[in-house]
Amino acid sequence: MSKDIRKITEGSMIVALLGVLFIIDRQSAGILNYIIAWVVPLPFVIYTAKHGIKDALVPFVASVFVSIMLSSPVFFVFTIMYGLIGIVYGYGVHKKWQSRYLFFATVVGTSIVFFVTIILFSAFFGYSIVEDMDMFYQVLDMVEVPPNVNVQQVVTSSLVVMYSTSVILEAYFIHMISKVILTRFKIVVAPSKAIESVSFPRWSGWVMLGSLFIYPISRSLSASEAIVTATFAIYAWIVILLLYQAFVFVIIVQRRYKRKFLLVTVVFALLLLPTLMIDVLMIIGLLDILSDMRSKITGVNNHA
């Protein structure tokens, strides 16, 4: 079988497979759309990794048109977003990106899905950050909260933990399933370099620090709901990046000083005391980016 015929055959199989998923989504009245959506990137990961992004656009566009005919409007949007995640991931594999860059690209993709579904078109997808906040306020009203506790900060921290956890877990699931399937197809994924070299540039740290004040300012100025939700999305994304940097630092410290349960302890503390630990980890992340804290504590220079 020639190479061009193989491309056409594999592309047709992708469109046929996704067509079956579109029919299942329509017949289930959208109940399974989030579960089925995780399957959409996988064929494009394999196809793009084997043939490149230019050839992958043909079955992707064909799948989008088929989704218009067979699936629900919600799953049509999911097909575009998750299909692009698969194409970007496959392109990274094709270009020999390190594994952690593939995962980070997937996190960016799932964050965009979060932004579109939860913020930009929340009414279309049936979500509302304001309603989620009200739900947390109602829960706190039913329990005895100490008078010195900042309820708004507790609600904001809880939402950040909830949303960031869902974004990262979804990205991790897509990343791990993709690696398993790539291995089965004998497609090599470039390993990551040492974690000691992972760090954001210093200029990005100053941008993150300034962006953290956008959401509180919009709340204090009683901005519209659209502005509040948009600034909260920026705030949540910055928090995710800083938590990522903080956990990198924690892992380096754990390896440097051989503290086996340090990372597990930090994760449990974050789940039990989200309001306190988010602030602590954000400070650690900022200091790791903006200062030489890593080199002084661990002897590893992250700004070399």
Side-chain angles (χ1 to χ4, degrees):
M1 185 183 293
S2 67
K3 186 176 181 180
D4 291 336
I5 295 177
R6 182 179 294 275
K7 290 180 182 179
I8 296 173
T9 303
E10 292 176 352
S12 301
M13 291 174 62
I14 290 175
V15 177
L17 172 63
L18 294 180
V20 174
L21 296 181
F22 299 152
I23 295 174
I24 293 174
D25 171 68
R26 180 175 288 274
Q27 294 300 318
S28 63
I31 298 176
L32 303 176
N33 55 18
Y34 255 116
I35 299 175
I36 298 175
W38 290 346
V39 183
V40 173
L42 303 180
F44 295 111
V45 169
I46 304 300
Y47 194 90
T48 311
K50 292 176 64 177
H51 305 298
I53 190 170
K54 184 178 179 180
D55 293 321
L57 292 177
V58 177
F60 171 72
V61 174
S63 299
V64 171
F65 279 108
V66 172
S67 69
I68 296 175
M69 295 182 289
L70 299 180
S71 69
S72 62
V74 171
F75 201 78
F76 161 69
V77 179
F78 282 159
T79 301
I80 296 176
M81 294 189 295
Y82 283 97
L84 289 175
I85 290 175
I87 288 177
V88 172
Y89 193 102
Y91 174 78
V93 175
H94 190 71
K95 292 297 183 179
K96 307 299 181 184
W97 289 1
Q98 297 177 37
S99 181
R100 72 163 176 262
Y101 293 150
L102 295 175
F103 174 67
F104 187 75
T106 310
V107 171
V108 173
T110 54
S111 300
I112 294 174
V113 173
F114 160 79
F115 177 77
V116 172
T117 57
I118 307 296
I119 297 173
L120 195 60
F121 300 110
S122 57
F124 177 74
F125 291 94
Y127 296 106
S128 174
I129 290 181
V130 176
E131 291 181 1
D132 288 343
M133 288 182 175
D134 292 338
M135 179 187 66
F136 276 103
Y137 283 124
Q138 292 173 8
V139 172
L140 292 175
D141 288 340
M142 293 186 293
V143 298
E144 295 184 2
V145 180
N148 59 338
V149 173
N150 189 332
V151 177
Q152 180 179 331
Q153 186 178 7
V154 172
V155 171
T156 302
S157 300
S158 301
L159 284 175
V160 169
V161 171
M162 182 178 70
Y163 289 142
S164 61
T165 301
S166 62
V167 166
I168 293 174
L169 287 179
E170 184 178 8
Y172 183 75
F173 177 81
I174 295 174
H175 176 60
M176 294 308 298
I177 295 298
S178 298
K179 289 185 67 174
V180 170
I181 295 177
L182 288 168
T183 302
R184 296 293 295 177
F185 278 83
K186 298 181 180 179
I187 300 175
V188 179
V189 178
S192 298
K193 295 181 180 179
I195 194 171
E196 287 79 6
S197 63
V198 177
S199 180
F200 293 106
R202 276 183 175 164
W203 64 265
S204 65
W206 293 111
V207 173
M208 293 179 196
L209 179 60
S211 301
L212 288 174
F213 296 96
I214 297 177
Y215 172 66
I217 291 174
S218 66
R219 293 280 296 185
S220 63
L221 296 178
S222 300
S224 64
E225 179 180 336
I227 295 177
V228 171
T229 52
T231 54
F232 178 79
I234 297 173
Y235 176 83
W237 178 237
I238 297 300
V239 171
I240 291 173
L241 294 178
L242 292 177
L243 291 180
Y244 171 79
Q245 185 70 34
F247 276 111
V248 168
F249 179 79
V250 170
I251 293 172
I252 293 173
V253 172
Q254 177 177 270
R255 292 182 178 180
R256 174 67 174 80
Y257 296 101
K258 295 181 173 57
R259 299 290 187 264
K260 294 183 179 180
F261 301 105
L262 178 61
L263 180 61
V264 176
T265 303
V266 173
V267 171
F268 272 107
L270 177 61
L271 296 176
L272 295 175
L273 302 169
T275 304
L276 174 63
M277 288 304 299
I278 285 180
D279 291 340
V280 172
L281 291 174
M282 285 171 58
I283 292 173
I284 292 175
L286 279 172
L287 289 176
D288 192 30
I289 297 172
L290 299 176
S291 70
D292 296 324
M293 180 179 69
R294 184 184 301 188
S295 60
K296 293 179 180 179
I297 295 178
T298 65
V300 177
N301 188 3
N302 57 318
H303 295 293

